[in-house]
Amino acid sequence: MDYTNTINYDLHLSRLLTRQGANPDPDFVPNPDMVPMVQEHVKILVVGAGGLGCEIIKCLAMTGFRDVQVIDMDTIDLSNLNRQFLFTPQDIGKPKAEAAVRAVMERIHGLKYTAHYNKIQDFDDDFYLKFNIVICGLDSVFARRWINSTLMNIALQTDNIIPFLDGGTEAFKG
């Protein structure tokens, strides 16, 4: 089914960027010109394509963000299907990043989403410098600390601050 004919995904990003919130900065002026700029030029990295990552990837796609890359080193297991909704039984054994990216791109056209079936440590600082924001949805404390440390070192060494949103779980701790 082609969902793009029934939903205007650009509208969601437009609502976010063109109206004031409850407590706006006094200098903020909503600007409709921001929508195409954000869609075409903001590059987002999602680390993790599991339970949190699937939700993050879906929300970014449905909000209108078009340039997203996803890193995950894991493959899909049967136990993932009950909570990682972008995956189907046919995806079992396949890389999570690739299946998640394929799922959103099949549903929403015009996206430039890229999957990386890798460890986050496989990439150097130049890779991470390409992104305007990094959103993390991991359950590995080691990996969460590593990406946080890497982004902090980039900021200290280059004066490039890449905003980092970290969400994760550790076993039964949320």
Side-chain angles (χ1 to χ4, degrees), residues 45 47 56 60 133-137 147 151 162-168:
L45 175 64
V47 181
I56 293 165
L60 290 171
I133 188 166
V134 174
I135 304 174
C136 196
I147 191 70
L151 296 175
I162 304 168
F164 176 53
L165 297 176
D166 182 29

Side-chain angles (χ1 to χ4, degrees), residues 8-154:
N8 180 0
Y9 293 103
D10 296 348
L11 179 64
H12 301 297
L13 190 58
S14 179
R15 287 180 178 161
L16 181 69
L17 296 173
T18 61
R19 62 182 183 181
Q20 297 214 349
N23 299 304
D25 182 295
D27 296 328
F28 175 74
V29 178
N31 184 347
D33 295 335
M34 290 292 295
V35 175
M37 188 283 297
V38 167
Q39 289 178 323
E40 300 303 322
H41 300 291
V42 171
K43 295 180 184 344
I44 300 172
L45 175 64
V46 176
V47 181
L52 289 172
C54 281
E55 189 67 28
I56 293 165
I57 294 162
K58 182 254 320 179
C59 287
L60 290 171
M62 291 184 70
T63 307
F65 290 96
R66 294 186 181 158
D67 194 346
V68 175
Q69 295 191 34
V70 180
I71 300 176
D72 197 300
M73 62 179 244
D74 201 5
T75 56
I76 299 162
D77 187 73
L78 177 63
S79 66
N80 301 137
L81 299 182
N82 69 330
R83 65 189 182 284
Q84 297 170 16
F85 57 87
L86 293 177
F87 308 141
T88 67
Q90 293 76 27
D91 293 323
I92 293 173
K94 295 179 182 171
K96 287 183 178 182
E98 293 174 8
V101 164
R102 186 189 72 252
V104 294
M105 290 180 66
E106 285 175 354
R107 289 169 175 83
I108 303 171
H109 300 266
L111 301 177
K112 188 176 119 183
Y113 281 35
T114 307
H116 302 280
Y117 177 44
N118 296 83
K119 295 179 180 179
I120 54 176
Q121 297 88 345
D122 292 345
F123 299 96
D124 61 13
D125 290 355
D126 289 333
F127 174 79
Y128 293 106
L129 279 164
K130 295 188 299 188
F131 300 99
N132 301 99
I133 188 166
V134 174
I135 304 174
C136 196
L138 293 173
D139 55 6
S140 164
V141 174
F142 173 79
R144 292 167 69 191
R145 287 181 179 157
W146 187 91
I147 191 70
N148 183 52
S149 175
T150 297
L151 296 175
M152 187 63 139
N153 286 333
I154 288 171

